[in-house]
């Protein structure tokens, strides 16, 4: 997909990986809807982007992605404001093992709901004009994470859902490609949650083990995740792809047997 002039909807856009992706999408000429729970961070983010790109290129919508009404209203506002939707990035996520139900709600249920709403708007069979959906998982979606079992489960869920719905979109000729990105540790405010009892609960005592893992695996810059996102959007051959991003191997893909692969 050629990005210039397209409309992208990014959740969790106010900081971290979301913000890096928004900047890259803007550099490529897209208009971007910044969706985030945090109004202050969202408005600050938009204000600083406005200086570089102009205020007409972005729209900030405060929205809790776990609230179905708010999420639907955000998509509705997008259609009213920009008239179309081409790219959806379900990126908002939390690391909370104490309130683990919330982790499932934000990281998995909202990604599923967002994908269904996005498909409804983009599916060419419904009168949409096609598009791309990218769901942000994690390397923890492919391997066990001893001190973050529910975060790990939520991210495994994102991969299974994304690959399945990508296969469905291909079979049904929806004109929508759906892919997932699995980064290793990335330098964002999310990493601070590892040092907080309110996030880690009973696993708080293992915080130094996680910090040791960060030291040994290294921590990625969010800009590399944004680059991976752009690759998945621009190359029309990707559907059902599971992109992995690590310090040792950079951007690469999980390999699946031929019968497990999704065709475009
Ligand atoms: P972050 O905490 O820096 O940013 C997340 C953003 O999501 C915040 O702006 C926050 O306000 C927003 N958000 C949280 N809950 C929300 C809700 N209910 N509704 C709307 N917005 C909400 O995190 P990040 O590191 O940029 O993470 C982005 C995504 O990348 C997440 O899905 C995360 O699981 C994933 N990820 C992060 C890392 C990492 O090491 N940082 C690694 C792999 C995957």
């Amino acid at each position: 997909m050629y990005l210039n002039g397209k409309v992208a909807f990014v959740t969790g856009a106010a900081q971290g990986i979301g913000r890096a992706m928004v900047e890259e999408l803007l550099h490529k000429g897209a208009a971007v809807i910044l969706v985030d729970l945090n109004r202050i961070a969202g408005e600050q983010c938009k204000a600083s982007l406005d200086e570089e790109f102009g205020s007409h290129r972005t729209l900030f919508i405060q929205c809790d992605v776990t609230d179905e009404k708010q999420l639907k209203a955000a998509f509705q506002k997008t259609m009213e404001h920009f008239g179309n939707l081409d790219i959806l990035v379900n990126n908002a996520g939390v690391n909370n093992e104490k309130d683990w139900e919330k982790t499932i709600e934000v990281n998995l249920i909202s990604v599923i709901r967002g994908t269904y709403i996005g498909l409804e708007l983009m599916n060419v069979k419904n009168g949409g004009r096609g598009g791309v959906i990218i769901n942000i998982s994690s390397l923890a979606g492919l391997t066990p994470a001893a001190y973050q079992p529910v975060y790990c489960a939520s991210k495994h869920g994102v991969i299974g859902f994304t690959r399945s719905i990508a296969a469905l979109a291909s079979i049904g000729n929806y004109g929508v490609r759906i892919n997932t990105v699995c980064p290793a540790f990335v330098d964002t405010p999310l990493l601070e949650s590892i040092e907080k009892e309110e996030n880690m609960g009973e696993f708080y005592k293992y915080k130094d083990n996680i910090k040791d893992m960060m030291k040994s695996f290294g921590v990625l810059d969010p800009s590399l995740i944004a680059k991976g996102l752009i690759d998945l959007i621009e190359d029309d051959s990707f559907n059902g792809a599971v992109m992995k991003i690590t310090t040792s191997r950079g951007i690469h893909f999980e390999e699946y047997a031929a019968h497990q692969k999704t065709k475009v």
Side-chain angles (χ1 to χ4, degrees), residues 11-18 35-38 41 63-66 90-94 106-107 136-139 151 155 182-191:
T11 70
Q15 64 179 33
I17 294 170
V35 174
D36 208 288
L37 179 63
N38 186 335
C63 165
D64 180 346
V65 295
T66 66
N90 289 305
N91 164 72
V94 294
V106 180
N107 295 7
I136 306 304
S137 178
S138 164
L139 224 50
Y151 182 82
K155 295 301 187 180
C182 303
F185 293 116
V186 187
D187 186 11
T188 74
L190 186 102
L191 294 186

Side-chain angles (χ1 to χ4, degrees), residues 49 147-148 216:
L49 294 170
Y147 318 117
Q148 295 167 282
S216 86

Side-chain angles (χ1 to χ4, degrees), residues 12-34:
Q15 64 179 33
I17 294 170
R19 182 178 171 148
M21 294 190 300
V22 169
E23 283 176 19
E24 207 50 44
L25 288 164
L26 289 168
H27 277 297
K28 289 279 180 178
V32 187
I33 298 91
L34 319 172

Side-chain angles (χ1 to χ4, degrees), residues 218-264:
V219 178
L220 296 156
D221 191 86
S223 61
L224 190 61
I225 319 307
K227 187 190 173 307
L229 175 93
I230 299 297
D231 291 353
L232 285 174
I233 296 170
E234 287 186 333
D235 185 334
D236 292 327
S237 69
F238 288 122
N239 187 42
V242 179
M243 175 184 274
K244 300 193 280 186
I245 310 183
T246 61
T247 50
S248 56
R249 293 188 57 198
I251 294 174
H252 59 293
F253 290 87
E254 180 73 353
E255 294 295 335
Y256 293 99
H259 70 279
Q260 291 183 305
K261 279 188 186 159
T262 306
K263 292 196 180 69
V264 175

Side-chain angles (χ1 to χ4, degrees), residues 58-234:
T58 56
L59 178 70
F60 169 64
I61 304 177
Q62 186 196 19
C63 165
D64 180 346
V65 295
T66 66
D67 183 319
E68 184 174 0
K69 248 172 102 178
Q70 285 185 30
L71 189 60
K72 283 187 170 159
F75 279 98
Q76 175 80 30
K77 200 165 172 190
T78 298
M79 298 306 279
E80 284 164 14
H81 193 88
F82 287 112
N84 192 57
L85 176 69
D86 303 288
I87 297 150
L88 163 61
V89 187
N90 289 305
N91 164 72
V94 294
N95 170 45
N96 198 324
E97 294 295 330
K98 194 167 185 176
D99 186 357
W100 57 264
E101 291 94 338
K102 182 181 173 185
T103 297
I104 297 289
E105 268 184 49
V106 180
N107 295 7
L108 183 56
I109 296 179
S110 304
V111 168
I112 294 172
R113 183 170 291 125
T115 301
Y116 282 146
I117 300 172
L119 273 178
E120 230 172 273
L121 295 170
M122 292 193 266
N123 186 346
V124 294
K125 294 284 168 74
N126 292 347
R129 57 179 209 194
V132 185
I133 301 176
I134 285 119
N135 293 331
I136 306 304
S137 178
S138 164
L139 224 50
L142 291 159
T143 57
Y147 318 117
Q148 295 167 282
V150 176
Y151 182 82
C152 179
S154 71
K155 295 301 187 180
H156 270 71
V158 169
I159 295 175
F161 171 73
T162 304
R163 295 185 67 215
S164 304
I165 211 75
L168 182 76
S170 167
I171 293 163
N173 292 314
Y174 291 180
V176 182
R177 298 184 290 108
I178 312 161
N179 297 295
T180 182
V181 183
C182 303
F185 293 116
V186 187
D187 186 11
T188 74
L190 186 102
L191 294 186
E192 292 160 19
S193 62
I194 280 142
E195 305 216 45
K196 293 182 185 156
E197 193 280 332
E198 70 203 65
N199 287 82
M200 294 303 287
E202 62 177 299
F203 306 108
Y204 174 68
K205 57 180 175 284
Y206 298 112
K207 67 178 189 316
D208 290 333
N209 302 46
I210 304 181
K211 279 158 84 177
D212 287 346
M213 282 162 65
M214 282 184 210
K215 269 187 214 140
S216 86
F217 293 119
V219 178
L220 296 156
D221 191 86
S223 61
L224 190 61
I225 319 307
K227 187 190 173 307
L229 175 93
I230 299 297
D231 291 353
L232 285 174
I233 296 170
E234 287 186 333

